[in-house]
Amino acid sequence: MRTLLRPTAVLGLLSMLTGCVAAGGEQTAPASACGSRIAVLGPLSGDSADLGGNVRDGARLAFDQYRAEHPDCPVELVEFDSQGDPKQAPALAQQIVNDARIIGVVGPGFSGEAEAALPILDQGGVATITTSATRTELSERGWSTFHRLVGNDAAQGRAAGRYIDQALGGTAVFVVDDGGAYGQGLADQVAATLGAKVVQRATVAAGATDFSAVVGQIRSADADVVFYGGYYAEAGRLRRQLRAADIPATFVAGDGAKADGFLREAGDDAETGVVITCPCLPPERAGAEFPQRYRERFGVEPGTNSAESYDAATVFLAGIQAGHGDRAAMAAFVDDYDAPGVTTRIAWTGTGELVASSVVVWAFRVQQGRFVAERSIPAS
């Protein structure tokens, strides 16, 4: 389950039945699927570009490997930069739908933009695999082409709440969120899990830089743990300002904060008393081959959701290798997919969620400027 899954290895028998044989016996993809495009939709610039870049680069690596192994069958990865803005997502989704060569999407990246883009993508019959949009309700909208390759906020929120309760021994938890689809949804799950141990809740504006008001509230509440639901820029600023105010509460945040941008914003204050939860595989546990290839290609370690994005792109590339060159065929292929990836066994329920046995949430600490996996947390 932790070995590198190559597109050529997936559904090999189906490939042999539908493909052609090149000189030397190498299998080639059916011509009907060649020339297909897969899109990456997410924040590739702006304040959230760290997370979007991780997703894009994981997909890029999968495409690079596929092209090297199948030069006879050109495929293209096309990028759509939402800047993490739900207002931009519908127009981008329509552009994807209007391009008949695009038969799948890795993304959308964030929950807010997913809620805006997915109705259009679903109506256009475009299969989607998000590796980072975790709002639980996304799988409850009745979209037939939606798939998620990480655990949702219900799984992460329960795990984070359990970690705060059992591992940290939190008794006075202050829950903060950014009011967004992702941040508030995750915070709601954490608060529900902790119940009466939540002493107060507050909402701050996305993009905020001055957290003095909520810092004062946290001090007054005498909180021993602060949970933040939102993205890395605000999480890092809040953490820095809590430390500047000499508030000793342990700081816990979700996967939206697991990015280098959090380390830049929090500075040295990220090294002590910080826990980040994520329903994503620690890159070092993805086997030796994937991290090595990622480092060789991009010159850095894999980031949050890089491995999941690699897996998502690999699913689509396996569909192309099996000869599925139109949207309906690709959507059916993704629905029925069941194979090991570098992150987990990839198989979905009827609502597009990973099967329960494939969902694991991890707790990370910051050590020497890196997110280091501390332990896995049961998701249920």
Side-chain angles (χ1 to χ4, degrees):
M1 188 169 287
R2 300 302 182 207
T3 57
L4 187 66
L5 180 65
R6 295 176 180 238
T8 52
V10 180
L11 299 181
L13 178 59
L14 182 57
S15 178
M16 292 175 64
L17 293 173
T18 60
C20 304
V21 180
E26 180 182 354
Q27 296 300 314
T28 64
S32 60
C34 298
S36 297
R37 290 176 167 175
I38 302 298
V40 172
L41 172 59
L44 305 180
S45 66
D47 287 344
S48 302
D50 283 358
L51 289 172
N54 294 340
V55 171
R56 175 197 61 208
D57 290 348
R60 279 180 175 174
L61 181 61
F63 268 72
D64 288 350
Q65 293 175 204
Y66 184 86
R67 293 185 187 113
E69 296 168 358
H70 302 280
D72 58 293
C73 182
V75 293
E76 187 177 357
L77 184 68
V78 289
E79 301 175 6
F80 292 83
D81 180 12
S82 66
Q83 297 184 323
D85 182 359
K87 295 179 181 178
Q88 296 190 41
L92 296 175
Q94 192 61 55
Q95 290 178 38
I96 291 170
V97 169
N98 292 345
D99 184 346
R101 292 171 61 191
I102 298 177
I103 58 174
V105 175
V106 178
F110 289 166
S111 295
E113 66 186 16
E115 289 185 325
L118 285 170
I120 298 168
L121 295 171
D122 187 70
Q123 186 174 20
V126 185
T128 61
I129 305 177
T130 182
T131 63
S132 51
T134 54
R135 185 174 176 87
T136 303
E137 290 80 6
L138 293 177
S139 63
E140 301 170 358
R141 305 286 199 239
W143 296 318
S144 62
T145 61
F146 170 80
H147 307 83
R148 179 160 30 210
L149 219 158
V150 290
N152 61 30
D153 286 340
Q156 183 182 187
R158 288 192 299 266
R162 193 175 298 114
Y163 182 94
I164 291 169
D165 181 29
Q166 299 174 3
L168 298 180
T171 58
V173 184
F174 197 110
V175 177
V176 186
D177 67 74
D178 66 357
Y182 159 72
Q184 185 174 0
L186 180 59
D188 287 346
Q189 294 290 340
V190 171
T193 301
L194 289 168
K197 293 184 178 181
V198 176
V199 293
Q200 194 170 336
R201 289 196 61 169
T203 297
V204 297
T209 57
D210 181 1
F211 294 94
S212 56
V214 74
V215 167
Q217 293 173 359
I218 292 168
R219 183 191 298 282
S220 297
D222 197 20
D224 56 9
V225 177
V226 174
F227 178 84
Y228 180 72
Y231 294 107
Y232 60 82
E234 294 81 8
R237 294 169 197 150
L238 175 57
R239 173 57 181 169
R240 183 189 288 274
Q241 291 175 40
L242 286 169
R243 292 284 287 180
D246 292 324
I247 293 176
T250 301
F251 185 84
V252 182
D255 56 312
K258 187 177 174 289
D260 288 345
F262 174 80
L263 305 180
R264 292 192 297 268
E265 293 287 350
D268 293 340
D269 298 319
E271 295 279 343
T272 304
V274 171
V275 178
I276 304 295
T277 63
C278 186
C280 55
L281 185 75
E284 65 271 17
R285 295 178 180 263
E289 196 174 353
F290 170 77
Q292 178 181 345
R293 291 191 174 190
Y294 194 96
R295 286 191 296 268
E296 291 173 351
R297 172 65 170 85
F298 302 109
V300 296
E301 296 293 329
T304 304
N305 301 126
S306 294
E308 285 79 8
S309 179
Y310 175 92
D311 276 347
T314 296
V315 172
F316 286 127
L317 290 166
I320 291 172
Q321 175 65 11
H324 303 305
D326 64 80
R327 290 174 179 173
M330 179 61 79
F333 176 84
V334 176
D335 282 344
D336 295 337
Y337 193 89
D338 189 343
V342 299
T343 58
T344 191
R345 171 194 165 204
I346 304 170
W348 287 282
T349 67
T351 62
E353 297 282 10
L354 278 176
V355 294
S357 61
S358 294
V359 177
V360 180
V361 179
W362 288 82
F364 293 81
R365 296 273 187 170
V366 179
Q367 297 178 9
Q368 298 180 337
R370 295 179 57 243
F371 294 99
V372 177
E374 179 187 65
R375 55 177 281 190
S376 61
I377 318 168
S380 60

